[in-house]
C-alpha cells in the first residue's frame, strides 16, 4: 500500500514540475521485500557540520534499516532551516509514517509542524528542541541536557582553578558558541553562565558564534587573540571549534592546555577530541551522546504498539579530563 502511495506521489510531483523528490537519499525496499509493512520515516538532519553530527547521522542510518522494519527518507539540510521546512513538507506529501526532526534552531517551526499534525503524522524531535506555542505539535523530544553540560563545565573550571591555587585570581574567559538559537548553544551558554555569575573573579570577555565548525572558529579565535591580550580560558561549545582554537593558538605560539597557558574546555567528547585530551591540548571535554537512533527506534516501536511515550527524554552522559 505504502509503495503505491509513494509511486502515486512521485507521479504527482513529476507532473507538477516539482521534479525529483528532494530527498538526499531513499533507502528503497528490495523488490522482494513486502514494503507495505515497513515504517516510513522522513528524517530531517541539521547538516554534516561536525564530527558529532556525522556520528549522529551514522546512528540513524544504522537504525532505520529494512532489517529493523524501516524505509528511511533522509534529508541533510546543510545547516539551513528553510531546507528543513521544505523537507518536512515533502515528507507530508509523501505521507510518511513518522517525521524525525533534528532542528537547526529552536524557533520558526509552528506553521510547518501544524501542517504535519493536520496530516496526522507524528513528529519526533531528536537532539535539538523546538519552541512552539502548542506542544502537541511534537510527540516527544530525545536528547541531552545541554544546560547541565554547561553547568558541569563551569563547576569543573571552578574546581580546576582551586586545585591550581587560582581561585582568587582574575580569570578572563572567551566563548566560541555553537549555532545561535540551537538547543546545544542555548543550553551550554546558559549552564556555564549560571556558574560564572557566582564567581566574582571571573570575567566573560566575549562570546561569538563559531557555528560548530572549525573554519569559523579559527576566524573568531584569531579575533579573540588580537582583541584580548590576557585570555585565561576558551570555552568551545563543540570539539570542531576546539580544534579551530587549537590551530590558531599553535600558529600564534600561545601556550594552552594542561602544560599551562589558555585553559581549553570543549563539548561532544568525540574520539579525535579525546585523543587531544590525552595529549593535554584540551583540558576537559563534556560528553554529548550522538547515538540517538536506537532511542528514536524504541519510541517509534512503542507508538506502533499503541503505547504512550515520555514527552521529554534525556540521554546519559559524562565528561573527560
Ligand atoms: C549537540 C548537537 C551539536 C553538537 C555539535 O547535541 O546538536 O551540534 O554539539 C553539532 O557538534 O554540530
Amino acid at each position: 500500500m505504502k509503495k503505491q502511495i509513494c509511486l502515486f506521489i512521485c507521479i504527482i510531483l513529476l507532473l507538477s514540475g516539482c521534479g525529483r523528490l528532494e530527498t538526499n537519499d531513499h533507502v528503497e525496499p528490495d523488490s522482494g521485500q513486502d514494503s507495505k509493512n515497513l515504517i516510513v520515516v522522513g528524517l530531517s538532519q541539521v547538516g554534516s557540520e561536525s564530527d558529532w553530527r556525522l556520528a549522529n547521522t551514522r546512528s540513524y542510518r544504522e537504525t532505520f534499516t529494512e532489517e529493523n522494519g524501516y524505509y528511511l527518507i533522509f534529508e541533510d539540510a546543510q545547516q539551513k532551516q528553510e531546507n528543513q521546512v521544505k523537507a518536512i513538507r515533502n515528507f507530508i506529501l509523501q505521507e510518511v509514517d513518522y517525521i524525525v526532526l533534528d532542528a537547526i534552531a529552536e524557533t520558526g517551526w509552528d506553521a510547518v509542524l501544524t501542517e504535519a499534525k493536520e496530516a496526522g503524522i507524528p513528529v519526533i524531535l531528536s537532539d535539538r528542541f523546538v519552541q512552539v506555542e502548542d506542544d502537541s505539535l511534537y510527540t516527544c523530544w530525545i536528547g541531552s541536557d545541554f544546560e547541565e553540560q554547561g553547568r558541569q563545565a563551569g563547576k569543573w573550571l571552578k574546581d580546576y582553578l582551586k586545585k591550581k591555587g587560582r581561585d582568587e585570581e582574575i580569570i578572563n574567559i572567551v566563548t566560541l558558541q555553537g549555532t545561535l538559537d540551537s538547543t546545544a548553544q542555548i543550553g551550554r551558554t546558559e549552564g556555564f553562565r549560571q556558574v560564572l555569575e557566582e564567581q566574582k573573579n571571573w570575567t566573560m570577555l566575549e562570546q561569538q558564534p563559531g557555528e560548530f565548525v572549525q573554519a569559523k572558529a579559527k576566524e573568531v579565535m584569531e579575533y579573540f587573540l588580537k582583541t584580548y591580550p590576557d585570555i585565561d580560558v576558551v570555552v568551545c561549545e563543540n570539539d570542531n571549534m576546539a580544534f579551530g582554537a587549537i590551530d590558531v593558538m599553535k600558529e600564534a605560539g600561545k601556550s594552552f592546555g594542561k602544560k599551562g597557558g589558555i585553559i581549553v574546555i570543549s563539548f561532544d567528547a568525540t574520539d579525535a577530541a579525546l585523543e587531544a585530551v590525552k595529549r593535554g591540548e584540551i583540558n576537559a571535554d563534556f560528553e554529548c551522546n550522538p547515538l540517538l537512533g536506537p532511542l528514536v527506534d524504541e519510541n517509534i516501536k512503542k507508538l506502533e504498539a499503541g503505547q504512550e511515550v515520555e514527552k521529554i527524554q534525556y540521554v546519559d552522559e559524562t565528561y573527560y579530563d
Side-chain angles (χ1 to χ4, degrees), residues 234-265:
V234 56
V235 177
C236 311
E237 291 187 349
N238 88 326
D239 290 333
N240 294 79
M241 295 195 291
F243 302 152
I246 288 168
D247 289 345
V248 168
M249 291 186 288
K250 281 181 178 171
E251 285 154 19
K254 286 277 179 188
S255 68
F256 61 92
K258 293 179 182 168
K259 59 183 177 308
I262 299 175
I263 296 164
V264 181
I265 291 172

Side-chain angles (χ1 to χ4, degrees), residues 202-261:
W202 291 9
T203 304
M204 182 60 76
L205 297 172
E206 192 168 348
Q207 298 177 304
Q208 285 294 340
E211 302 298 340
F212 287 128
V213 297
Q214 193 161 342
K216 181 68 182 159
K218 280 186 76 165
E219 283 173 33
V220 176
M221 190 63 185
E222 278 160 1
Y223 157 75
F224 282 156
L225 288 182
K226 277 197 197 82
T227 312
Y228 305 105
D230 51 356
I231 296 171
D232 297 300
V233 183
V234 56
V235 177
C236 311
E237 291 187 349
N238 88 326
D239 290 333
N240 294 79
M241 295 195 291
F243 302 152
I246 288 168
D247 289 345
V248 168
M249 291 186 288
K250 281 181 178 171
E251 285 154 19
K254 286 277 179 188
S255 68
F256 61 92
K258 293 179 182 168
K259 59 183 177 308

Side-chain angles (χ1 to χ4, degrees), residues 140-196:
C140 60
W141 169 82
I142 304 153
S144 300
D145 187 344
F146 300 109
E147 213 172 281
E148 180 56 23
Q149 290 174 6
R151 280 191 293 271
Q152 288 294 328
K155 288 172 190 164
W156 175 88
L157 179 62
K158 190 178 158 196
D159 295 346
Y160 181 78
L161 290 169
K162 189 162 177 56
K163 264 186 243 156
K164 297 283 182 185
R166 300 178 62 186
D167 45 327
E168 305 288 321
E169 191 184 309
I170 295 294
I171 299 294
N172 292 318
I173 305 167
V174 291
T175 301
L176 293 166
Q177 292 180 296
T179 304
L180 295 182
D181 194 32
S182 69
T183 312
Q185 177 274 309
I186 294 168
R188 289 168 184 165
T189 297
E190 172 53 19
F192 189 85
R193 187 200 62 77
Q194 290 168 10
V195 179
L196 176 121

Side-chain angles (χ1 to χ4, degrees), residues 49 99 182 199 244:
E49 74 283 4
I99 290 172
S182 69
Q199 319 307 315

Side-chain angles (χ1 to χ4, degrees), residues 49-50 52-53 127-128 146 184 188 212 237-238 268 288:
E49 74 283 4
S50 67
W52 185 97
R53 185 65 57 202
D127 173 31
R128 296 188 186 171
F146 300 109
R188 289 168 184 165
F212 287 128
E237 291 187 349
N238 88 326
D268 283 353
C288 183

Side-chain angles (χ1 to χ4, degrees), residues 17 24 29 75 88 106 120 134 157 191 245 299-300:
N24 293 31
E75 289 267 358
I88 292 170
E106 290 209 344
D134 167 9
L157 179 62
N299 279 274
I300 289 178

